[in-house]
Amino acid sequence: MSSIRNTATPERLIRQEILALHAYHVPPSSGMIKLDAMENPYPLPQSLREELAQVVASAEINRYPDAAAAQLKKRIRSVANLPSGMDVLLGNGSDEIIQLLALAVAKPDAVLLSIEPSFVMYKMIAAFAGMKYVGVPLTEDFALDLPATLDAIARHQPALVFLAYPNNPTGNLFDAAAIAQIIQAAPGLVVVDEAYYAFASDSFLPRLGQYKNLLVMRTFSKLGMAGLRLGFLAGSKVWLEQLEKLRLPYNVGVLPQLVAETLLAHHDVLLQQAEQIKCDRQWLYERLVGTVDVRAYPSEANFILFRVAHATQVFEGLKQRGVLIKNLNGGHPALTDCLRVTVGTPEQNEQFVAALQDTINQLA
Ligand code: PMP
C-alpha cells in the first residue's frame, strides 16, 4: 500500500540538469575491429603476462588496498619525471579526477570553462557537480581562439578550466604560448589534460613549477591499461592535499595498483608500442589524405579525426563491414560529418582503409 501512495518519481526527485543529460554511450563491439575508443591495440608480451599472473596470484584481495598507494605513486613519480616539489593524486581513471576537481570547487554559481569541441565529460561532470558550464568555440581549423577564450575568462571568472593537450576529438596540440596566456589570465585552476601525452611532441608537466594555478592530468588508459582504470593529477601539494580529502579512500583497487606498478616497471615496452602507433598514425593519415572526398586533420594523439560526406552512412557502412569507429556527426555543430578513428595495428588500419574505400565507392 505504502508504495502506491509514495509520490517519488525520477522527474520529481532527480535534479533537472541530470534529467536533461544523456548517459555516456558505449556501443556493443563484440566481434568487431574496435577502433572507437583510443585503446592500445597491442596485447602485452607473453613474459610480461606471466609476471602479472604471479603478481596477481599472490595479491591479498581479502584486504583493502593501500589507501595511499605509496608504491605505485613512487613508480609514477619516477616514470613521469615529475619536477621537484610536485606530487600526484590517483584516480579511478582520469574521469574520476575531473569529477573530484569539480566537486572541490563547486560553490554556488562556480563556472567550469572549456573549449569546444573537446572531451564531453568536462561538460557532463559540470552538470554532475552543479557547476555552470561555459564552452568557448575553437576556430574553424580547431585552434584555440585566444581572444574569445580570454574574453570568456574575464567575463565568467571560471573556478576551473580544462584544456585537453592534445585535444579530443580533434587530435591537435594547441599553441603552447596561447595556453600559457590562458593560465596567466585565469583566476582559478587550469588543468591541462594530457590523456594522449604518449603520442604527443610536447607537455606541460615540466612547466608545473612555473604557474601556481596549473595542474596536469594524465591517464594510463591510452598507453595499454584502459582496463585497469588509472589516471593521475600532478601538481603542488598545496592543491593536492585539499583534493585528497575528496578522494574516496580505496578508489584504486589492490589489483590495479599491483598490475600498474608491475607494468610501469616495464614502461619501455609500453612506450615502444606508443612509438609504433605514432608511425602507423602517419601511414593512416596519408591514406586518409589520399582518399577522395575525405578531409583528415593532423593528429598528435592515437586517433585521427576526418570529415567525409554522408558521415553517418559511412559510419554504418564501416560497421556492416565489421569496423567500429566513432561517429561524431550530430554531436556538435563544428563536427558535422566528422568521424574519428583510433590507430590500430597495421593490419587493422589496412582493413579500415579498405572498408572505408569500399563504403565510399558504394555510396557514390
Ligand atoms: N581526458 C581526455 C581528453 C580523454 O579523451 C579521455 C578518454 N576518452 C579521458 C580524459 C578519460 O580517460 P580515463 O578515464 O580512461 O583515464
Side-chain angles (χ1 to χ4, degrees), residues 284-295 308 353 356-357 360:
L284 189 53
Y285 178 71
E286 283 163 17
R287 292 304 162 293
L288 284 169
V289 166
T291 304
V292 178
D293 293 337
V294 168
R295 175 173 179 200
V308 57
V353 169
L356 178 68
Q357 195 58 69
I360 292 175

Side-chain angles (χ1 to χ4, degrees), residues 117 138 141-144 164-175 297-301 303:
L138 295 173
D141 57 355
F142 300 134
L144 280 177
Y165 187 73
N167 190 34
N168 171 19
T170 58
N172 54 321
L173 268 186
F174 298 129
D175 177 32
Y297 293 88
S299 169
E300 295 232 19
F303 59 84

